[in-house]
Amino acid sequence: MHAKVIRYFVEVVRAGSIRKAAEQLHVVPTAVNRQILNLEEELGAPLFERIHNTLKLTPVGEIVLAHARGTLREFDLVRQRIEDVRGLRQGEVTLATTAGLADAFLPAVVQRFRAAHPGIQLKLLGLPIAAVLRSVAEGDADLALAYDVPGTAGFRTLFSSEWPIGAVVPPGHPLTAHATAVLAECVGYPLILPAPSLSIRPILDAAFERSAIRVSPVVETTSTALMRRLVRDGAGITLLNRLDVDEERNDGTLVFVPLRDTTLDAQTLTLETRAAQAPSAAAELFANHVVACLDDLLAP
């Protein structure tokens, strides 16, 4: 039913007459009466009985009243959430993520979100992958953003995207002579590899094994920020996905060379929340913002 019809109908019930309802609604009685008559015609049954100049609901009217009140309550909740989304009220969002994403992708995302929604407080937790999901499951975080998360009951995936792995090298490096490279070409240079505890390392190890390539890294670290710094300083090359080095690609301090090996899987980045509970308006707003930023980066 139309919002005006609902408001008029509920006010007539509350006031007990069309005249009193019209006074409260600041309209003429004929406008209220017309809406009620139109509704009765649409439903094919009277909504009121007139008893001693007082309007009393018919059984059909009782049914419509229950629906109307429920609709108004739901509309109030929608309006409250819209106000939250517009930043008219304070909000708080906690995102659990990995250190690599916190270092590389999220700083620009957070800056843009805070500029648009200064009333919403963000809490970012940099955690190991197992703790990322646990923090959401236990209610310590609203959202989880991580690579290659295992399928787990109790979670709902809000967004998923694939990020191919490539060689990360300094400008002018020999690997930049071609648009793509292969793993076998990378092992000819000092390799700075992610530590085995990072989700990307099993993908790399599996690809090396399938391609019968033996590697001996010069550095292993859990810090993708350190990997990028060492590459910039000329200590070697590393293997990461494009999102990990987006800022350096844009400012020209590093070059990402995609790897075309069929044995090398891409990393899957997902944004997760609890399945049993809808995220708050603030959390939903931030989730939509993260997805929009990822879509921008994925666009050709």
Side-chain angles (χ1 to χ4, degrees):
M1 292 185 294
H2 193 276
K4 181 187 291 186
V5 178
I6 292 175
R7 282 201 322 273
Y8 283 17
F9 173 70
V10 171
E11 187 58 37
V12 169
V13 174
R14 191 196 66 80
S17 76
I18 288 178
R19 180 183 59 79
K20 291 179 181 179
E23 290 175 356
Q24 293 298 317
L25 293 166
H26 305 290
V27 297
V28 296
T30 54
V32 177
N33 190 54
R34 187 184 316 114
Q35 293 290 341
I36 299 299
L37 291 175
N38 289 342
L39 181 56
E40 289 178 328
E41 182 179 354
E42 182 178 347
L43 296 174
L47 299 175
F48 295 99
E49 294 179 289
R50 287 172 172 79
I51 302 176
H52 304 302
N53 296 322
T54 301
L55 295 179
K56 180 183 178 182
L57 284 170
T58 64
V60 171
E62 295 283 359
I63 295 172
V64 174
L65 178 62
H67 170 76
R69 284 175 171 166
T71 301
L72 289 176
R73 282 195 300 270
E74 290 177 4
F75 183 74
D76 285 340
L77 291 174
V78 169
R79 185 164 53 190
Q80 179 179 334
R81 295 191 72 187
I82 291 173
E83 289 177 352
D84 289 339
V85 166
R86 288 176 175 170
L88 300 180
R89 300 185 180 184
Q90 298 295 315
E92 182 179 296
V93 185
T94 301
L95 172 72
T97 188
T98 57
L101 287 163
D103 288 339
F105 168 63
L106 285 172
V109 174
V110 169
Q111 287 181 344
R112 288 169 58 181
F113 184 82
R114 289 286 303 137
H117 307 284
I120 296 178
Q121 180 186 11
L122 297 177
K123 294 183 179 181
L124 305 179
L125 309 178
L127 302 169
I129 181 62
V132 167
L133 294 180
R134 186 167 62 249
S135 65
V136 174
E138 295 177 354
D140 295 326
D142 303 293
L143 305 166
L145 181 69
Y147 292 112
D148 306 312
V149 298
T152 306
F155 287 86
R156 179 164 59 94
T157 300
L158 301 176
F159 183 77
S160 179
S161 56
E162 298 293 316
W163 295 91
I165 296 170
V168 179
V169 301
H173 190 277
L175 287 180
T176 64
H178 302 284
T180 62
V182 293
L183 282 170
E185 295 176 278
C186 298
V187 296
Y189 304 96
L191 275 181
I192 302 161
L193 289 185
S197 60
L198 297 188
S199 60
I200 189 175
R201 183 60 182 270
I203 297 175
L204 295 173
D205 287 345
F208 285 134
E209 184 176 353
R210 285 194 289 264
S211 300
I213 297 174
R214 297 184 61 184
V215 295
S216 181
V218 296
V219 176
E220 288 184 331
T221 175
T222 58
S223 171
T224 57
L226 178 58
M227 295 177 217
R228 299 192 301 269
R229 175 62 183 270
L230 289 172
V231 174
R232 288 198 304 269
D233 291 346
I237 70 171
T238 192
L239 303 174
L240 294 169
N241 73 54
R242 181 166 64 88
L243 186 59
D244 292 328
V245 292
D246 186 67
E247 182 178 351
E248 290 84 357
R249 287 177 59 251
N250 288 333
D251 63 26
T253 56
L254 291 175
V255 179
F256 178 83
V257 182
L259 294 173
R260 61 180 183 272
D261 300 72
T262 58
T263 59
L264 184 62
D265 295 329
Q267 283 194 280
T268 303
L269 180 66
T270 57
L271 182 64
E272 307 280 342
T273 189
R274 289 184 296 279
Q277 181 179 354
S280 68
E284 185 174 355
L285 179 63
F286 185 60
N288 291 338
H289 176 75
V290 171
V291 170
C293 290
L294 288 169
D295 278 337
D296 287 344
L297 293 174
L298 287 166

